[in-house]
Amino acid sequence: MNLTKREFMQVLGAGSMAGMNMNAFAQADAGRAAEGMYSIPKFGQVSFLHMTDCHAQLNPIYFREPSVNLGIGSMKGNLPHLVGEHLLKFANIRPGTSEAHALTYLNYEKAAARYGKVGGFAHLATLVKRLKASRPGSLLLDGGDTWQGSGTSYWTNGQDMVDACKLLGVDVMTAHWEFTLGMERVSEIIKKDFAGQVEFVAQNVKTTDFGDVVFKPYVMRDINGVSTAIIGQAFPYTPIANPRYMVADWEFGIQEEHLQTMIDEVRGKGAHVVVLLSHNGMDVDLKLASRVTGLDAILGGHTHDGMPIATLVNNKSGKTIVTNAGSNGKFLAVLDFEVKGKRVVDYRYKLLPVFANLLPADPAMQALVDKVRAPYAAQLAERLAVTEDTLYRRGNFNGSGDQLIVDALMAVQDAPIAFSPGFRWGTSLLPAQPITREWLMDMTATTYSYATVNTMTGATIKTVLEDVADNLFNPDPYYQQGGDMVRVGGLSYVCKPNEKMGSRIGEMRLKGQLIEAGKKYKVAGWAPVAEEAKTQNLKPVWEVVEQWLKASGGKVKARQLNTPKLEGVLPNPGYAA
């Protein structure tokens, strides 16, 4: 993309989306507030609506954004590694506004009580219909992580989300957690449910035998007389981050050279607008945008970063827009292109928070949501306890929801140490809200959520922590896999994110005593990627945590977060805890 107008549009796009004119609506009724937030003037000829990482959240939820999202090396001080006031200042968003609440953890409980829940497919559907009506020919793109993350998606093998996305009007999608349903199930949905309605694209998934592309690498569409192409980029590290046996016949990877070939191919077929629908994670997308040519934009996902500003990345052919649209159905991004002389000359970008209180539920979608949830309503609603404090997940090193999980694992499994994966999906609860089975499933529902107990040497424990830390803090984004640091119960340690692999973790202690490299320790955990776990008659982790919750006497006190001591990395605008 070669922009001929000043690049102030980057900042202007943030301001107009993010509350510069919203103070007038702060005390307005819901109708006027919605009009002010969601009425976006049409621009250009080509429009994409982008959602990603909804993690099967059909109903409105609470979701607290992170207070820790460290940027290392060249990533320090840059999007997406800004939290709280640093992000608001960078994006020129006024503190205390609804947008500030949507994008940050600041004054979370008070703001959540004021602005209410976010997301929900019935409310999202209303917004999608409104925007599609104002932008004829626009396409709704789904960045993946859609069929996993809730009790109903687990119990229906993803069918609830497949049906909801069809009704929502998704035009094109790519994937990550979808692959944990297995190769046969993914193929079945694409061939049967999506046929003639939803395109599933991924240029970087090939067969392990002959290297044939498994899915369509791209689709081309004519939008208001402009030829456009949407290329798919599935999560490149699926066989590493998730069980390999679930995708045994497929190989993944960034596949940069093949991507460039696909870009050149669609350009050769006459595409004037070319976008990548990506599940790489934002840091990977930023590097990729600097290395390939011919992309007008990368619409990204995986790292759950709600980005109020589009980042412009220079490369040999011009500039590429890089965005990320958050998670949990909390945001819908709008990217408009103006095309002249067969090329993009300008754009507008908006990230819209989906506030359930401001958007009426679409009747047809609400009816579908109610229908798919009805068989499981009693299970979902069962109260297991009440939380006295906010429960949340997001943050590089821990969250109170994950602390609850490791506390439960240590108690029920009788282990002095517990690990919980650094997943970024999961919902939040406010103080005094009931902890229901639905919330527990939101935090743990995968197709391999087996609870484990293993014996590890101190050296192995250090290796585990070092490996995850390198995944998170490697200065080369191509070696990052997204997610956060493994959550740890019982064990204290020092973390030096700026050090090299093998030197980031130190001072590991259990009850004040240094961990010994050769000594063996009992460690509880869950979500093993090894195939043999399927045959070991292991309980699902939600049953273990439920046992602990039911023994809590009805109330769960505020959890004491177990986080490492950080050295050599602070101060950092990605750290506000």
Side-chain angles (χ1 to χ4, degrees):
M1 178 183 67
N2 294 289
L3 297 181
T4 59
K5 297 184 179 180
R6 290 191 307 152
E7 293 170 6
F8 75 91
M9 290 310 308
Q10 180 181 8
V11 176
L12 179 60
S16 60
M17 152 290 156
M20 290 176 70
N21 65 338
M22 287 305 298
N23 196 47
F25 297 94
Q27 304 300 325
D29 60 31
R32 286 191 63 216
E35 184 70 18
M37 180 173 290
Y38 300 121
S39 294
I40 307 172
K42 182 179 181 297
F43 178 80
Q45 309 98 311
V46 176
S47 296
F48 297 109
L49 312 180
H50 179 222
M51 57 177 275
T52 191
D53 297 271
C54 76
H55 284 285
Q57 295 305 318
L58 287 174
N59 273 344
I61 51 128
Y62 291 111
F63 185 81
R64 180 190 184 272
E65 296 294 335
S67 56
V68 183
N69 187 8
L70 291 173
I72 302 301
S74 64
M75 292 164 275
K76 179 180 178 180
N78 294 313
L79 296 176
H81 301 285
L82 299 172
V83 300
E85 294 175 353
H86 298 289
L87 177 59
L88 298 185
K89 183 177 180 180
F90 187 90
N92 196 24
I93 297 172
R94 297 184 61 179
T97 62
S98 56
E99 291 75 23
H101 167 57
L103 292 162
T104 74
Y105 69 93
L106 296 170
N107 302 309
Y108 180 71
E109 289 82 5
K110 182 178 179 180
R114 177 182 182 185
Y115 296 113
K117 292 184 177 182
V118 294
F121 261 53
H123 307 275
L124 178 61
T126 296
L127 182 56
V128 168
K129 286 183 177 180
R130 183 178 300 182
L131 291 168
K132 282 198 169 187
S134 68
R135 287 164 168 75
S138 59
L139 298 178
L140 175 58
L141 310 182
D142 177 3
D145 279 8
T146 304
W147 308 344
Q148 173 275 335
S150 70
T152 55
S153 66
Y154 175 77
W155 292 318
T156 66
N157 209 15
Q159 193 64 46
D160 62 334
M161 299 309 302
V162 170
D163 294 342
C165 286
K166 289 170 64 179
L167 183 59
L168 186 65
V170 171
D171 294 292
V172 186
M173 78 169 292
T174 194
H176 168 207
W177 273 93
E178 286 74 11
F179 296 120
T180 63
L181 299 184
M183 294 178 293
E184 291 185 6
R185 178 60 175 151
V186 171
S187 299
E188 177 188 38
I189 290 170
I190 294 170
K191 293 177 181 178
K192 295 182 179 179
D193 295 274
F194 280 2
Q197 184 171 345
V198 182
E199 297 284 4
F200 189 102
V201 291
Q203 70 86 26
N204 61 324
V205 184
K206 301 179 180 180
T207 60
T208 55
D209 49 9
F210 299 111
D212 298 324
V213 175
V214 176
F215 309 105
K216 289 182 180 180
Y218 60 81
V219 294
M220 296 186 69
R221 292 287 185 271
D222 184 283
I223 302 178
N224 298 318
V226 178
S227 179
T228 67
I230 303 97
I231 303 173
Q233 179 82 355
F235 181 52
Y237 305 112
T238 297
I240 301 172
N242 306 104
R244 181 76 183 92
Y245 65 87
M246 294 181 172
V247 287
D249 297 337
W250 300 340
E251 63 181 17
F252 294 69
I254 295 173
Q255 306 281 353
E256 189 179 285
E257 290 185 8
H258 189 254
L259 172 59
Q260 186 65 65
T261 300
M262 295 298 96
I263 297 170
D264 295 343
E265 184 173 307
V266 297
R267 288 289 185 185
K269 290 181 177 181
H272 302 153
V273 177
V274 181
V275 301
L276 183 69
L277 180 60
S278 168
H279 204 91
N280 282 332
M282 189 163 176
D283 288 328
V284 177
D285 283 336
L286 290 169
K287 178 176 178 177
L288 184 66
S290 73
R291 292 170 60 87
V292 299
T293 60
L295 281 177
D296 293 301
I298 299 178
L299 301 172
H302 181 61
T303 41
H304 295 199
D305 302 306
M307 291 293 98
I309 294 178
T311 301
L312 290 173
V313 179
N314 293 317
N315 52 58
K316 293 179 181 179
S317 69
K319 300 178 186 295
T320 297
I321 299 165
V322 178
T323 71
N324 199 294
S327 67
N328 285 275
K330 186 177 179 179
F331 298 102
L332 183 68
V334 184
L335 182 59
D336 297 327
F337 287 112
E338 182 180 15
V339 180
K340 292 181 179 179
K342 299 182 180 181
R343 64 187 180 91
V344 171
V345 297
D346 206 351
Y347 77 97
R348 300 289 189 275
Y349 170 75
K350 308 281 191 284
L351 183 69
L352 299 174
V354 180
F355 285 108
N357 287 345
L358 298 184
L359 293 162
D362 176 75
M365 184 62 79
Q366 189 62 62
L368 175 63
V369 171
D370 293 343
K371 178 182 177 181
V372 300
R373 288 172 57 86
Y376 314 103
Q379 290 173 268
L380 294 169
E382 183 180 352
R383 295 190 176 201
L384 307 176
V386 174
T387 179
E388 294 186 349
D389 198 10
T390 299
L391 293 177
Y392 65 93
R393 169 163 275 166
R394 274 301 307 273
N396 280 163
F397 298 101
N398 207 347
S400 53
D402 281 312
Q403 188 66 53
L404 182 153
I405 291 172
V406 295
D407 288 346
L409 287 171
M410 289 188 293
V412 177
Q413 305 285 61
D414 190 26
I417 300 172
F419 289 157
S420 185
F423 297 141
R424 292 188 174 187
W425 45 267
T427 59
S428 302
L429 292 178
L430 301 181
Q433 274 197 286
I435 301 174
T436 62
R437 181 173 285 108
E438 177 159 25
W439 178 82
L440 183 55
M441 295 300 288
D442 287 348
M443 296 290 286
T444 59
T446 81
T447 52
Y448 58 100
S449 293
Y450 310 108
T452 61
V453 178
N454 291 296
T455 300
M456 296 184 183
T457 65
T460 299
I461 291 172
K462 185 178 190 302
T463 297
V464 169
L465 296 179
E466 289 281 4
D467 283 349
V468 180
D470 191 62
N471 164 58
L472 185 60
F473 299 122
N474 193 299
D476 185 345
Y478 276 15
Y479 289 91
Q480 297 176 7
Q481 296 172 23
D484 284 310
M485 191 66 187
V486 60
R487 280 63 166 112
V488 178
L491 180 77
S492 65
Y493 66 99
V494 171
C495 182
K496 303 176 181 179
N498 283 317
E499 294 294 325
K500 294 180 179 180
M501 170 67 172
S503 301
R504 293 189 179 98
I505 306 300
E507 288 292 316
M508 298 187 305
R509 294 179 181 272
L510 179 63
K511 297 181 179 179
Q513 299 298 310
L514 282 172
I515 294 289
E516 299 176 31
K519 187 175 179 179
K520 294 181 179 180
Y521 299 87
K522 187 178 181 181
V523 182
W526 66 282
V529 297
E531 187 171 6
E532 54 265 26
K534 296 191 304 180
T535 61
Q536 293 176 342
N537 197 30
L538 301 171
K539 289 184 178 181
V541 68
W542 51 80
E543 289 187 6
V544 176
V545 178
E546 181 177 327
Q547 179 180 336
W548 182 81
L549 287 169
K550 287 184 174 179
S552 67
K555 290 186 178 181
V556 173
K557 296 181 179 179
R559 312 320 296 165
Q560 184 66 42
L561 291 188
N562 182 22
T563 58
K565 178 183 178 183
L566 298 180
E567 293 185 359
V569 72
L570 302 179
N572 190 296
Y575 184 94

